[in-house]
């Protein structure tokens, strides 16, 4: 164990360590052990390899450093302060406190130099894969002979917990397949996690696993040997594959009573132990948040070095723009200005009344129309492109030797979500990704972080209801609308026809100019829907506002009842209004495809769409009724689906469960009469699990002949 400061390198490393333990100790919470063990590898990377510019933290061609082990946040904050970013010593002293730019886990947008929001383990690793993909694609689009204006590396520091999470396995597999050579992961192999030794739950050979993924993988046996670490990074940079360097460290390094134990992981060392640690380092134990002048001078060399890098790059950009003016203007628009091109939306199609088309198909046509004027639109699907209809035609596939436009994620939804976040963090692209809506559960952690970080990511989630039909309840999303609407800063859009689907794409692209920005989810049908009267004229502005009046009584009367619909059920509300009008009942139809946008409108607009005086209301949506009470009030009813679906043709399912024009009209009459309110039970009970150890319960007194495994007469 080092007992005295011997070299300038050691002084600098111990400065990182002591700032980290002081920050955790003052906050009386946090994770001191990982920064203490990983400080040498971080120091080596940041002072010898990382091309960054503290005074220009958004310089586009900087190397990216992602602290996937986000619990070690004081390691990153200490590095940012020491190298000259706008992270002050006072910021370190306010670690984990109200209003601080140094929260418990790194958050994108709070402190300059934080490249990604990390902490949920494995997320940062997947983000790094996305950043590396973005670098490759952007370089392929813009670099020309003698003009490499995109040329940087992505580094991530990850922990055993990161690599135990499934998202990291998915992302590593994808990265190896794509041979992302400018991606390097430093693995803090300290053999300890929160519950104790990693051996309690983990016995695999991590290096061999990554070699099997197609990575260059190696070990450094002494995590304090900065020359060995530097040599390993040099070897990694010379390889043509992504690289993992497993570096054997000691959690809580230097702590007489906590080193190599889980006690150093997730709690302060305690005042007495901090004194002992500093004494072991040869430091004055009475000094806190102390930065020796020699260490500060060493770290602050990053400022002039970074300024020189930026100046050289700007000269290169000027030369590039002179040699390739069209490409230069496009690079400036996409990467520096981050704005959409003029007239980007002119090719979006308008559909005539009556044309029947699934909203997933209308989405496909929107993608094709946008692919030319919005070349930054970049994405793919989780082995479902033929179902999600996400491919850019003639765009080519993103492959190891040909970085085309269509990403093939394979069946890796969680990594797909985290990778898309990394592409968004990187800049230069608007990523979109697709799967079935029910499988959004597999990527929910990544979606949540996109919302938290304000990332413009577009989700193309198709097969969005029981209307997908015969695949049955395992694939039919029921609770997903409510669950996704509950997520702050996610705009969940369920368009009701082709015109609304095109408008939803426009909304998703326009969100990049919003403050805050954030992700947009498109919930799209497999089944065909009729194009409704009024959407050609009203959908674009209506989607911008989240909801709008689609139809009013044709005779000019004030509505007696308001029918509210989304998605494939909007046609039911529309048809029911026509049926009611034939019986002299005045009905308004409101399309409410995006609750989040509607809630952002002023009260006057919301009241114009949903007049408070009209208390008779019916909402129609083939999902759980939870949440609809805010729109129908205490005098309205909800035609929803508060149970799982069934396996049958879509038309049969809708009929059996009572999602028909006639039933919606009947419910409306009951609401007007004051006889019905709240969630309305479906006509059939739906799919219920079988009693344990027995056969499923039979509904409605059926004899059950030929229905083994069925739960109700409609489940056939």
């Amino acid at each position: 164990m080092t007992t005295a400061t011997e070299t300038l390198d050691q002084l600098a490393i111990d400065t990182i360590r002591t700032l980290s333990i002081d920050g955790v100790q003052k906050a009386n919470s946090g994770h001191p052990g990982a920064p203490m063990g990983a400080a040498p590898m971080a120091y080596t990377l940041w002072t010898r390899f990382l091309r960054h510019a503290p005074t220009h933290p958004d310089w586009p061609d900087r190397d990216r450093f992602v602290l996937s082990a986000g619990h070690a946040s004081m390691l990153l904050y200490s590095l940012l302060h020491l190298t000259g970013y706008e992270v002050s010593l006072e910021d370190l002293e306010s670690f984990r406190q109200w209003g601080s730019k140094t929260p418990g886990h790194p958050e994108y947008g709070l402190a300059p130099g934080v490249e990604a929001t990390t902490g949920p383990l494995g997320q940062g690793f997947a983000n790094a894969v996305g950043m590396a993909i973005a670098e490759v694609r952007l370089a392929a689009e813009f670099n020309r002979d003698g003009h490499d204006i995109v040329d940087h590396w992505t580094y991530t520091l990850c922990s055993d917990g990161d690599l135990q999470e499934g998202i990291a396995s998915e992302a590593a597999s994808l990265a190896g397949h794509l041979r992302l050579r400018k991606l390097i992961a430093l693995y803090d192999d300290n053999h300890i996690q929160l519950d104790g030794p990693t051996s309690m739950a983990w016995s695999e050979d991590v290096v061999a696993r990554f070699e099997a993924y197609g990575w260059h993988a190696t070990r450094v046996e002494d995590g304090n040997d900065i020359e060995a670490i530097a040599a390993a990074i040099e070897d990694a940079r010379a390889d043509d594959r992504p690289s993992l360097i497993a570096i054997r460290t000691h959690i809580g390094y230097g702590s007489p009573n906590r080193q190599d134990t889980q006690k150093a992981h997730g709690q302060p060392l305690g005042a007495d132990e901090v004194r002992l640690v500093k004494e072991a380092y040869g430091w004055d134990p009475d000094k806190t948040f102390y930065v020796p002048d020699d260490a500060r001078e060493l770290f602050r060399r990053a400022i002039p070095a970074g300024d020189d890098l930026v100046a050289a790059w700007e000269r290169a950009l000027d030369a590039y723009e002179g040699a390739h003016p069209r490409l230069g203007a496009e690079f400036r628009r996409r990467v520096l200005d981050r704005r959409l091109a003029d007239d980007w939306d002119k090719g979006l199609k308008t559909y005539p009344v009556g044309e029947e088309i699934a909203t997933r198909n209308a989405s496909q046509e929107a993608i094709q129309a946008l692919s030319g004027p919005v070349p930054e639109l970049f994405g793919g699907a989780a082995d479902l492109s033929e179902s999600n209809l996400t491919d850019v035609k003639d765009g080519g596939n993103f492959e190891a030797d040909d970085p085309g436009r269509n990403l093939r994620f394979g069946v890796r939804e969680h990594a797909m979500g985290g990778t898309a976040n990394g592409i968004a963090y990187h800049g230069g692209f608007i990523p979109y990704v697709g799967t079935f809506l029910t499988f959004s559960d597999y990527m929910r952690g990544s979606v949540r972080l996109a919302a938290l970080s304000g990332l413009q990511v577009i989700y193309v989630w198709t097969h969005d209801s029981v209307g997908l039909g015969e695949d049955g309840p395992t694939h039919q999303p029921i609770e997903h609308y409510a669950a996704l609407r509950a997520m702050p800063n996610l705009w969940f859009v369920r368009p009701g026809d082709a015109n609304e689907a095109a408008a939803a794409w426009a909304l998703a692209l326009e969100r990049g100019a919003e403050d805050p920005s954030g992700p947009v989810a498109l919930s799209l049908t497999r089944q065909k829907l009729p194009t409704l009267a009024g959407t050609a004229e009203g959908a674009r502005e209506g989607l911008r506002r989240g909801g709008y009046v689609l139809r009013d009584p044709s005779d000019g009367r004030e509505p007696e009842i308001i029918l509210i619909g989304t998605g494939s059920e909007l046609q039911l509300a529309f048809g029911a209004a026509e049926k009611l009008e034939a019986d002299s009942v005045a009905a308004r139809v409101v399309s409410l495809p995006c609750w989040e946008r509607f809630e952002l409108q002023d009260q006057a607009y919301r009241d114009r769409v949903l007049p408070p005086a009209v208390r008779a209301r019916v909402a129609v949506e083939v999902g759980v009724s939870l949440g609809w009470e805010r729109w129908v009030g205490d005098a309205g009813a909800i035609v929803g689906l508060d149970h799982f679906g069934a396996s049958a043709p879509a038309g049969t399912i809708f009929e059996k469960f009572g999602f028909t024009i006639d039933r919606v009209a009947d419910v409306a009459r009951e609401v007007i009469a004051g006889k019905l309110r709240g969630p309305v039970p479906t006509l059939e009970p739906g799919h219920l699990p079988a009693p344990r150890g027995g056969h499923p319960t039979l509904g409605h007194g059926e004899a059950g002949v030929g229905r083994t495994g069925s739960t109700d007469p409609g489940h056939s």
Side-chain angles (χ1 to χ4, degrees):
M1 182 181 297
T2 300
T3 58
T5 301
E6 298 170 351
T7 67
L8 182 57
D9 286 331
Q10 191 64 53
L11 180 71
I13 290 167
D14 289 343
T15 301
I16 298 171
R17 287 168 164 159
T18 55
L19 286 176
S20 297
I21 62 177
D22 284 344
V24 172
Q25 188 61 36
K26 183 174 183 188
N28 198 31
S29 72
H31 299 75
M36 295 164 73
M41 74 173 79
Y43 168 77
T44 304
L45 176 64
W46 276 63
T47 59
R48 299 194 186 186
F49 296 96
L50 196 71
R51 296 170 66 256
H52 64 119
T55 61
H56 299 81
D58 295 327
W59 170 43
D61 204 35
R62 68 193 181 278
D63 290 344
R64 271 66 170 178
F65 173 76
V66 179
L67 182 67
S68 191
H71 55 280
S73 56
M74 271 303 300
L75 173 70
L76 177 56
Y77 300 147
S78 298
L79 286 163
L80 292 174
H81 167 70
L82 291 168
T83 54
Y85 287 80
E86 290 187 7
V87 177
S88 67
L89 206 58
E90 289 72 23
D91 291 323
L92 301 188
E93 292 174 347
S94 61
F95 177 55
R96 287 180 166 237
Q97 304 309 302
W98 180 266
S100 169
K101 63 171 69 171
T102 52
H105 294 84
E107 293 181 33
Y108 178 72
L110 284 187
V114 174
E115 298 283 5
T117 300
T118 58
L121 291 171
Q123 287 287 340
F125 188 97
N127 296 163
V129 172
M131 292 176 187
I133 287 173
E135 193 274 344
V136 171
R137 174 67 188 168
L138 202 65
E141 286 192 69
F142 288 102
N143 286 354
R144 295 296 182 268
D145 289 343
H147 297 280
D148 290 341
I149 58 169
V150 180
D151 185 12
H152 51 266
W153 291 74
T154 301
Y155 301 92
T156 181
L157 195 160
C158 56
S159 65
D160 45 69
D162 286 297
L163 299 187
Q164 288 173 10
E165 288 283 3
I167 185 175
S169 297
E170 293 179 22
S173 175
L174 179 63
H177 171 72
L178 295 176
R179 298 182 74 87
L180 300 174
R181 73 172 189 88
K182 295 172 82 173
L183 171 65
I184 297 177
L186 304 180
Y187 164 35
D188 179 21
D189 184 14
N190 60 36
H191 293 197
I192 297 292
Q193 54 194 102
L194 183 61
D195 280 352
T198 56
S199 59
M200 295 192 306
W202 213 26
S203 54
E204 68 188 39
D205 185 334
V206 175
V207 169
R209 170 157 70 98
F210 273 75
E211 287 175 338
Y213 287 145
W215 287 53
H216 163 73
T218 189
R219 293 186 184 277
V220 173
E221 295 298 340
D222 181 0
N224 290 308
D225 187 343
I226 62 175
E227 298 305 326
I229 294 169
I233 295 174
E234 291 281 12
D235 289 344
R237 288 169 59 93
D239 205 280
D240 65 351
R241 298 166 291 174
S243 295
L244 175 88
I245 305 171
I247 303 173
R248 177 66 170 103
T249 62
H250 295 274
I251 195 168
Y253 181 81
S255 172
N257 299 300
R258 299 288 182 88
Q259 180 177 314
D260 294 326
T261 74
Q262 71 267 35
K263 296 296 184 182
H265 175 79
Q267 56 185 283
L269 297 177
D272 292 341
E273 192 71 11
V274 169
R275 290 186 65 87
L276 294 175
V277 170
K278 290 182 178 180
E279 289 171 352
Y281 293 162
W283 285 56
D284 183 343
D286 293 319
K287 289 183 177 179
T288 60
F289 296 98
Y290 172 59
V291 180
D293 291 340
D294 288 349
R296 184 181 301 277
E297 190 278 329
L298 185 156
F299 280 112
R300 291 295 165 92
R301 294 173 192 169
I303 295 176
D307 291 343
D308 288 346
L309 287 170
V310 173
W313 183 81
E314 288 177 342
R315 290 192 296 271
L317 180 61
D318 288 341
Y320 176 79
E321 290 177 314
H324 303 282
R326 185 190 62 80
L327 282 173
E330 182 69 359
F331 183 85
R332 189 168 290 276
R333 176 188 71 79
R334 281 174 53 178
V335 179
L336 300 180
D337 298 340
R338 296 197 176 197
R339 61 174 179 82
L340 293 171
D342 296 339
D343 298 329
W344 60 271
D345 57 346
K346 295 301 183 185
L348 288 174
K349 186 176 178 181
T350 299
Y351 298 84
V353 175
E355 181 175 352
E356 294 199 349
I357 179 172
T359 51
R360 66 167 175 168
N361 292 84
S363 168
Q364 179 187 42
E365 293 183 350
I367 290 172
Q368 303 314 314
L370 294 166
S371 62
V374 191
E376 58 266 44
L377 202 58
F378 176 40
D383 195 44
L384 284 170
S385 62
E386 293 187 2
S387 293
N388 302 142
L389 306 180
T390 49
D391 280 358
V392 172
K393 295 177 181 177
D394 302 320
N397 293 332
F398 188 100
E399 298 173 345
D401 56 355
D402 185 12
R405 194 160 175 183
N406 295 301
L407 278 164
R408 305 299 183 193
F409 287 100
V411 188
R412 302 183 181 103
E413 287 92 351
H414 203 176
M416 178 175 70
T419 299
N421 289 355
I423 294 170
Y425 283 127
H426 181 278
F429 296 101
I430 302 172
Y432 68 94
V433 291
T435 187
F436 289 0
L437 179 57
T438 192
F439 302 140
S440 66
D441 285 344
Y442 283 150
M443 55 191 298
R444 186 177 176 90
S446 300
V447 175
R448 184 176 185 272
L449 287 183
L452 175 63
S453 303
L455 301 179
Q456 188 184 17
V457 181
I458 301 171
Y459 305 112
V460 183
W461 288 331
T462 70
H463 296 59
D464 79 329
S465 75
V466 295
L468 69 86
E470 292 87 343
D471 276 345
T474 60
H475 284 50
Q476 294 167 356
I478 299 301
E479 74 280 17
H480 296 69
Y481 314 150
L484 291 162
R485 285 168 178 153
M487 188 179 293
N489 203 39
L490 171 67
W491 292 358
F492 180 79
V493 187
R494 194 161 182 257
D497 72 359
N499 286 319
E500 287 199 351
W505 265 104
L507 178 71
L509 289 180
E510 290 169 342
R511 177 141 206 216
E514 293 282 330
D515 186 17
S517 187
V520 176
L522 308 182
S523 175
L524 306 170
T525 67
R526 173 181 184 265
Q527 73 273 27
K528 292 182 178 180
L529 304 180
T531 302
L532 302 173
T535 59
E537 301 81 12
R540 183 66 182 272
E541 183 60 24
L543 261 290
R544 281 197 181 106
R545 289 178 169 265
Y548 64 107
V549 177
L550 177 60
R551 183 190 187 279
D552 260 337
S554 60
D555 57 8
R557 286 187 295 161
E558 292 297 317
E560 300 172 58
I561 190 166
I562 300 173
L563 306 178
I564 313 170
T566 77
S568 51
E569 293 72 68
L570 183 59
Q571 62 174 312
L572 302 182
F574 198 98
E578 292 180 322
K579 189 175 184 66
L580 290 167
E581 186 167 300
D583 293 338
S584 299
V585 177
R588 166 176 286 186
V589 177
V590 168
S591 176
L592 201 64
C594 184
W595 292 14
E596 298 78 25
R597 283 297 296 165
F598 192 66
E599 289 171 336
L600 290 174
Q601 306 309 305
D602 59 50
Q603 188 66 47
Y605 178 79
R606 296 200 304 269
D607 287 349
R608 286 200 301 274
V609 175
L610 297 174
V614 185
R615 300 182 66 230
R617 303 176 183 181
V618 176
V620 191
E621 187 174 66
V622 64
V624 296
S625 58
L626 179 68
W628 273 108
E629 60 276 359
R630 76 179 68 179
W631 307 120
V632 302
D634 59 4
I638 306 160
V639 180
L641 193 64
D642 288 313
H643 56 70
F644 293 113
S647 179
T652 301
I653 295 173
F654 275 88
E655 180 183 357
K656 292 293 186 181
F657 288 158
F659 285 88
T660 64
I661 289 173
D662 286 344
R663 182 151 186 267
V664 173
D666 288 344
V667 169
R669 293 187 183 95
E670 294 288 291
V671 170
I672 292 171
K675 298 179 180 179
L676 189 62
R677 65 184 62 183
V680 179
T682 54
L683 296 181
E684 298 284 355
H687 187 285
L688 297 172
R692 183 178 297 178
H695 292 291
T697 303
L698 298 173
H700 298 276
E702 292 276 330
V705 177
R707 297 188 182 275
T708 301
S710 179
T711 59
D712 64 82
H715 189 149
S716 58

